[in-house]
Amino acid sequence: QVPAIFVSSLKLLDQWKEKILEYTDLTEDQILLVADGSIDKIDWSKNYQFLLFSHRTVGRYMDQPQSNLEQLLRRLGYTMKVFDEAHLEMSSIARIDRETKAPSLYVTATPKRSNPAEDELYSRIYSTAPKFTSQNKTIVERDENYHNVVICKFSSDPDMDFLLAFQKASRLRGFNVAKYSEYILEEKLDSYADVIFQLLYHVVLNQGQTTRKTVILVKNIKLLEALRTTIKERLEEKDIHLELTRFHSKVPALEKEHALEGNLIFSTDSSLSTAIDIPDLEAMLSLIPTSSEPLTAQMLGRLRNNGKPVFYFDLVDTGFKECLKQLSKRKTSVYRKKAKTLKEIDL
């Protein structure tokens, strides 16, 4: 079997190549990696056993007049197609399937979508495809329940006028995360940062006696930057000097390249959503108000079972009834199924 594997990012291409070399006896010459228009540079004299393509490059190739993807892949000896992160690039996947004849394998860790319309479309597209999951013990046997989940409740004490305005702003699309982030940033930043700092200092870092590699997950980049600055100042006041890094879409590439090596990483859920692996991560503080099962499960999954205790801290603002409703959904759909331990504390 010679699989043609299609992925959405260069980072995923590199990860596939790395793992193929790690788990097989193949050499680099036996792995074809096609990205950034390199289809024209294929060395046809080599005997490739794995074919790795980026969706973007394949899309550009198919846009060319008289291109023939099936003919190209057959010439390379492909026998099947594998689509990694199959919940992404759905239009590209459909186009590739239409242009080719070999069977397809669709791989995803998030078979459900947060958006109801997307979820309906996604389920229809793959309605006839046989499904295999990691819960099937004939496929994989490992301890899935290793996360220690701690629900951390606090109240930002919003006044009635703001709550009424917030409810109005959230009427059409549910909980308005942008407006909530703006409210915290403009009116409650000091008290909000203090809640996070106290949790970090007393629980995660054990008053500076412990260093756990930790991600702080924030939805809004402006709020993320403000929190990073404030928390860094408060840690330094306690003579705790950690490497506080940031990993999001507006960070310069050179800085972002080494950001995941920091002790305390400030990131967004979208930046950590795909092709990100932090093997030594021990804790995550989620500041994201959401009822999404896929998003919660995906972020929880960033904590690997590496033999050490791992902790997922879920910060919940009880000043908003919707936050409590979201928490109830997260507990039912994710935490009670996946957590090794589940505790609640009041901050």
Side-chain angles (χ1 to χ4, degrees):
Q1 298 284 334
V2 178
I5 301 168
F6 301 89
V7 301
S8 59
S9 69
L10 298 180
K11 195 172 187 69
L12 267 176
L13 279 178
D14 290 337
Q15 286 184 6
W16 268 97
K17 181 179 178 181
E18 177 186 332
K19 294 303 178 183
I20 291 167
L21 292 172
E22 180 179 349
Y23 291 110
T24 72
D25 295 326
L26 299 179
T27 65
E28 290 198 20
D29 283 346
Q30 293 172 290
I31 304 170
L32 173 65
L33 194 151
V34 178
D36 293 332
S38 57
I39 284 180
D40 296 334
K41 301 175 184 177
I42 293 175
D43 185 345
W44 296 98
S45 67
K46 293 183 178 179
N47 181 28
Y48 297 114
Q49 298 301 305
F50 277 86
L51 315 173
L52 307 180
F53 296 90
S54 74
H55 279 286
R56 185 177 181 181
T57 298
V58 172
R60 287 177 174 174
Y61 170 76
M62 290 191 291
D63 287 339
Q64 295 176 8
Q66 301 180 355
S67 64
N68 190 319
L69 183 60
E70 171 67 13
Q71 188 178 75
L72 173 74
L73 293 175
R74 289 183 68 179
R75 188 179 173 190
L76 289 165
Y78 95 121
T79 55
M80 66 179 297
K81 305 186 296 289
V82 178
F83 296 103
D84 196 7
E85 300 288 350
H87 56 285
L88 304 173
E89 305 284 357
M90 283 192 282
S91 61
S92 176
I93 291 172
R95 189 180 181 191
I96 292 169
D97 271 342
R98 188 175 64 247
E99 298 282 334
T100 55
K101 298 177 181 178
S104 296
L105 178 66
Y106 310 96
V107 181
T108 177
T110 54
K112 293 184 179 180
R113 313 306 304 134
S114 302
N115 183 292
E118 285 185 10
D119 190 52
E120 175 68 17
L121 177 62
Y122 185 76
S123 60
R124 287 190 180 188
I125 289 174
Y126 298 110
S127 61
T128 60
K131 296 177 178 61
F132 303 91
T133 75
S134 62
Q135 300 304 313
N136 186 333
K137 297 304 178 183
T138 62
I139 298 175
V140 62
E141 292 188 9
R142 65 173 182 262
D143 182 10
E144 297 286 353
N145 299 88
Y146 58 87
H147 301 89
N148 299 288
V149 176
V150 183
I151 296 166
C152 309
K153 294 181 176 179
F154 80 105
S155 176
S156 63
D157 296 321
D159 60 41
M160 188 57 66
D161 288 341
F162 177 79
L163 284 175
L164 290 172
F166 183 79
Q167 288 172 2
K168 185 177 180 180
S170 302
R171 191 169 297 160
L172 294 178
R173 297 187 178 181
F175 192 90
N176 192 317
V177 178
K179 191 165 184 64
Y180 176 77
S181 299
E182 181 183 303
Y183 153 74
I184 294 294
L185 187 60
E186 295 181 358
E187 300 184 32
K188 304 287 183 176
L189 181 60
D190 285 343
S191 58
Y192 191 69
D194 188 59
V195 167
I196 298 166
F197 171 74
Q198 295 300 332
L199 178 60
L200 273 173
Y201 181 68
H202 291 288
V203 181
V204 180
L205 301 176
N206 190 22
Q207 298 185 351
Q209 301 303 308
T210 304
T211 301
R212 286 193 178 101
K213 192 178 188 75
T214 303
V215 164
I216 295 183
L217 208 58
V218 188
K219 189 71 175 178
N220 180 279
I221 291 177
K222 286 185 179 179
L223 179 57
L224 180 155
E225 293 288 357
L227 287 172
R228 176 174 172 266
T229 299
T230 305
I231 289 171
K232 182 178 181 180
E233 292 172 354
R234 297 192 183 187
L235 286 170
E236 289 176 349
E237 287 172 4
K238 294 285 187 180
D239 202 27
I240 298 175
H241 301 278
L242 300 176
E243 186 180 2
L244 276 69
T245 59
R246 53 202 187 128
F247 187 84
H248 58 72
S249 60
K250 295 187 178 180
V251 175
L254 189 60
E255 179 185 345
K256 194 173 183 180
E257 184 178 342
H258 300 285
L260 298 181
E261 299 170 7
N263 303 118
L264 194 55
I265 305 161
F266 288 75
S267 185
T268 62
D269 59 304
S270 57
S271 294
L272 285 186
S273 62
T274 304
I276 301 299
D277 188 25
I278 316 175
D280 52 347
L281 186 64
E282 295 179 70
M284 180 176 286
L285 273 65
S286 175
L287 315 183
I288 299 180
T290 180
S291 58
S292 168
E293 176 185 347
L295 175 59
T296 305
Q298 188 177 51
M299 292 302 104
L300 197 67
R302 289 290 170 259
L303 291 161
R304 306 298 188 192
N305 189 356
N306 56 15
K308 294 182 180 180
V310 292
F311 296 87
Y312 186 88
F313 299 92
D314 186 344
L315 202 67
V316 182
D317 189 343
T318 60
F320 293 78
K321 290 183 179 180
E322 186 61 33
C323 285
L324 291 171
K325 291 179 182 178
Q326 291 174 339
L327 171 62
S328 179
K329 290 180 180 179
R330 293 196 297 274
K331 287 166 68 174
T332 302
S333 63
V334 181
Y335 299 153
R336 290 197 175 114
K337 295 177 182 177
K338 294 183 177 290
K340 179 180 179 180
T341 64
L342 179 59
K343 298 180 180 179
E344 295 190 23
I345 60 175
D346 292 316
L347 300 177

